């Protein structure tokens, strides 16, 4: 793409999220979300084949619907209560509609159907932006309105998302779809704790960003998009295959990796809030996700799939891609668990 | 005045039914023109003259004209009008639904004012629509700059998407 256009699009992506973060008025927050939607559409269609255009169309339609619903809910609240402030969404219909709209924005179940298909149609860097950067602004709004929303709705959204994220990812062979369902499940964990301890929502979001970035960047380094290609990754980049396996297990929430931190703290907070049943269901749902992460690790590192003999000894030349971000994110995705107390003091 | 606004509201509902019954885009655009035009009339009847003017200029005169040109690019040899079988079925059902809702929610209505009046910095007052535009050029200057940036961004997004001949996403044009 023309570098000037690319600069305008990327800086508009930054502008949109910044505006939503900095706003206290619903109209400004909505503007930021729309700027993000607009700016990422040409990035999605950079590869000019019909699958990418289909993904961009689906993304645009769902995000535009969600933005229109956000505007509708904000206008309803302004009409009924005279209040445009983000923290004061007091009318019950407006707050429920707003939560449904924001759930559609980030792909929570039962409004998740677009996310795996859109992710599948994109190349890996754009999928990374979609899974990480585009989630920041709606989650900032969710954290701000969580205290006004019907608690049953939040709990249902969280539980359903964790379950759908687990069950939906079980039959997938394409890794982008698996990462889409992983995103749905992690969003579910983030939502369910937002009414009790919003700082844990922030923590989960941060850890999810690190882990997903590590996963996407590792995939980008070796250009693997399905399980079949993943089985031959070990001979081309053995170190990366091992760290990728650990990154996947971190996404699954296994100690002593970083992914255990948010799940542990969320389960502890739910136990403190006298919600043992919810906590148990969430933990069981995480097991479902863990199954398909383990299957990926199995295919990648624990077995060597049938192949010709030469495939075990390819030339391993230096990569031309920049590796610093991958190294940074992999380090954070694997090693942050001992720093839990420090991170908690930063967030509370 | 009451009769005028009633007439405009009836025309609005008919225009909405005309759009929703799914004819060819030519005729749907005509329905939109009618609906937007009489909607502006209803706004004027409630005191929102500035907004009505801006709606006419920008929505009807800008966006709908562009839409009409785009629909003309995707023209069909035999467009479905409201008299054709598939569309007429939808028209009848929607009119039936409208009359049902009218029967359920029939009430009197009063002529209120649409305009919001707000206070600006403790001692002055501004009318919602015209004053708001003026404020956007004075203390709301940051939002003006951001709006201009967003319009420029939209231009580049559309240009990037509709680039043709192998350099863009739509290859045939």
């Amino acid at each position: 793409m023309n570098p000037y256009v690319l600069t305008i699009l990327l800086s508009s992506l930054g502008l949109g999220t910044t505006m939503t973060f900095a706003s206290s008025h619903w109209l400004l927050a909505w503007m930021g979300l729309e700027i993000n939607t607009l700016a990422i559409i040409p990035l999605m269609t950079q590869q000019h084949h019909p699958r990418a255009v289909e993904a961009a169309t689906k993304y645009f339609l769902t995000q535009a619907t969600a933005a229109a619903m956000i505007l509708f809910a904000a206008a309803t609240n302004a009409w009924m209560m005279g209040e445009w402030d983000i923290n004061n969404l007091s009318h019950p219909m407006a707050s429920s509609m707003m939560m449904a709209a924001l759930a559609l924005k980030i792909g929570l179940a039962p409004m998740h159907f677009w996310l795996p298909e859109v992710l599948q149609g994109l190349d890996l860097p754009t999928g990374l932006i979609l899974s990480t950067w585009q989630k920041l602004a709606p989650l900032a709004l969710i954290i701000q309105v969580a205290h006004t929303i019907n608690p049953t709705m939040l709990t249902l959204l969280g539980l359903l998302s964790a379950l759908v994220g687990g069950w939906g990812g079980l039959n997938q062979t394409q890794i982008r779809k698996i990462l889409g369902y992983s995103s749905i499940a992690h969003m579910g964990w983030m939502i369910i704790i937002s009414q009790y301890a919003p700082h844990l929502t922030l923590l989960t979001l941060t850890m999810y960003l690190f882990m997903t970035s590590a996963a996407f960047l590792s995939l980008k380094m070796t250009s693997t998009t399905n399980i079949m290609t993943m089985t031959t990754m070990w001979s081309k980049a053995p170190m990366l295959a091992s760290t990728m396996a650990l990154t996947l297990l971190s996404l699954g929430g296994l100690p002593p990796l970083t992914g255990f931190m948010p799940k542990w703290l969320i389960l502890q907070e739910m136990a403190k809030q006298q919600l043992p049943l919810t906590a148990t269901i969430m933990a069981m749902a995480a097991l479902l996700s863990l199954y398909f992460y383990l299957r990926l690790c199995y295919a990648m590192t624990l077995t060597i799939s049938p192949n010709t003999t030469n495939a075990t000894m390819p030339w391993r030349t230096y990569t031309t891609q920049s590796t610093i971000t991958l190294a940074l994110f992999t380090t954070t995705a694997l090693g942050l668990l001992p720093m839990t107390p420090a991170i908690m003091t930063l967030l509370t | 005045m009451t009769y005028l606004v009633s007439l405009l509201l009836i025309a609005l509902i008919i225009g909405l039914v005309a759009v929703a019954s799914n004819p060819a885009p030519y005729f749907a655009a005509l329905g939109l023109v009618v609906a937007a035009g009489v909607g502006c009339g209803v706004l004027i009847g409630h005191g929102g003259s500035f907004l009505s003017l801006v709606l006419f200029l920008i929505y009807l005169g800008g966006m709908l004209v562009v839409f009409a040109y785009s629909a003309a690019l995707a023209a069909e040899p035999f467009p479905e009008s409201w008299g054709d079988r598939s569309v007429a079925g939808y028209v009848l059902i929607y009119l039936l639904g409208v009359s049902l809702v009218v029967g359920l929610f029939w009430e009197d209505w009063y002529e209120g004012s649409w305009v919001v009046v707000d206070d600006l910095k403790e001692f002055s007052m501004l009318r919602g629509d015209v004053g708001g535009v003026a404020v956007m050029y004075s203390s709301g200057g940051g939002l003006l700059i951001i709006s201009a940036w967003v319009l420029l961004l939209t231009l580049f997004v559309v240009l990037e998407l509709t680039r043709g001949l192998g350099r863009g996403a739509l290859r045939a044009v």
Side-chain angles (χ1 to χ4, degrees), chain A residues 30-284:
Chain A
W30 169 81
M31 264 181 81
L33 289 172
E34 288 280 70
I35 291 175
N36 268 359
T37 308
L38 267 180
I40 204 174
I41 297 290
L43 292 176
M44 290 186 176
T45 57
Q46 259 180 319
Q47 304 196 315
H48 316 310
H49 60 83
R51 188 65 182 90
V53 177
E54 176 192 335
T57 313
K58 282 181 188 169
Y59 184 72
F60 181 69
L61 285 174
T62 49
Q63 300 287 307
T65 310
M69 267 172 70
I70 289 177
L71 205 53
F72 189 49
T76 306
N77 193 49
W79 182 23
M80 298 293 187
M81 299 287 166
E83 188 63 63
W84 279 105
D85 200 46
I86 291 184
N87 289 322
N88 289 335
L89 203 59
S90 33
H91 194 256
M93 184 185 100
S95 63
S96 305
M97 209 178 346
M98 182 66 74
M99 189 61 217
L102 289 168
L104 178 56
K105 272 271 174 195
I106 58 176
L108 280 174
M111 286 78 87
H112 65 281
F113 293 97
W114 59 274
L115 185 56
E117 297 172 14
V118 168
L119 261 182
Q120 178 63 25
L122 305 175
D123 54 338
L124 287 166
T126 317
L128 173 64
I129 300 180
L130 182 66
S131 297
T132 53
W133 188 256
Q134 298 286 71
K135 306 263 191 274
L136 287 176
L139 272 164
L141 291 174
I142 288 179
I143 291 177
Q144 286 178 286
V145 300
H147 63 100
T148 58
I149 297 178
N150 188 7
T152 318
M153 184 177 188
L154 283 174
T155 314
L156 272 177
L157 281 172
L159 276 177
L160 202 57
S161 300
L163 287 169
V164 162
W167 272 319
L170 283 180
N171 199 21
Q172 304 295 338
T173 54
Q174 296 285 333
I175 305 184
R176 284 168 291 180
K177 282 201 176 180
I178 289 181
L179 287 173
Y181 282 107
S182 137
S183 157
I184 296 172
H186 279 99
M187 295 295 139
W189 280 87
M190 284 181 224
I191 292 303
I192 202 161
I193 203 64
S194 59
Q195 44 184 321
Y196 306 112
H199 60 277
L200 289 180
T201 307
L202 266 177
L203 177 90
T204 315
L205 175 64
T206 318
M207 296 306 134
Y208 169 70
L209 288 183
F210 289 151
M211 297 185 291
T212 306
S213 306
F216 267 103
L217 288 170
S218 313
L219 292 174
K220 176 168 161 302
M221 181 75 58
T222 51
S223 304
T224 48
T225 51
N226 52 11
I227 299 189
M228 196 176 71
T229 331
M230 233 182 182
T231 54
T232 58
M233 184 164 60
W234 67 272
S235 56
K236 299 188 174 56
M239 195 62 221
L240 192 59
S242 356
T243 52
M244 175 79 189
L246 290 175
T247 309
L248 285 170
L249 291 177
S250 180
L251 272 169
L254 285 186
L257 305 168
T258 309
F260 183 56
M261 186 199 322
K263 291 196 166 64
W264 183 18
L265 293 168
I266 289 178
L267 288 175
Q268 180 187 21
E269 183 62 39
M270 285 205 275
K272 278 194 227 166
Q273 298 279 345
Q274 314 287 336
L275 297 168
L277 182 61
T278 317
T280 313
I281 300 179
M282 291 297 282
M284 297 295 189

Side-chain angles (χ1 to χ4, degrees), chain A residues 1 5 8-9 11-12 15 19 28 31 35 38-39 41-42 45 48-50 53, chain B residues 143 146-147 149-150 152-154 156-158 160-161 163 166-171:
Chain A
M1 196 188 282
V5 176
I8 290 184
L9 293 174
S11 56
S12 299
L15 174 69
M19 272 175 67
L28 203 64
M31 264 181 81
I35 291 175
L38 267 180
I41 297 290
T45 57
H48 316 310
H49 60 83
V53 177
Chain B
L143 197 60
I146 292 178
S147 304
W149 175 260
V150 172
L152 191 65
L153 170 71
T154 316
F156 281 118
V157 163
V158 172
E160 188 62 36
L161 282 176
R163 219 192 270 268
R167 292 193 317 270
L170 299 175
R171 238 180 300 196

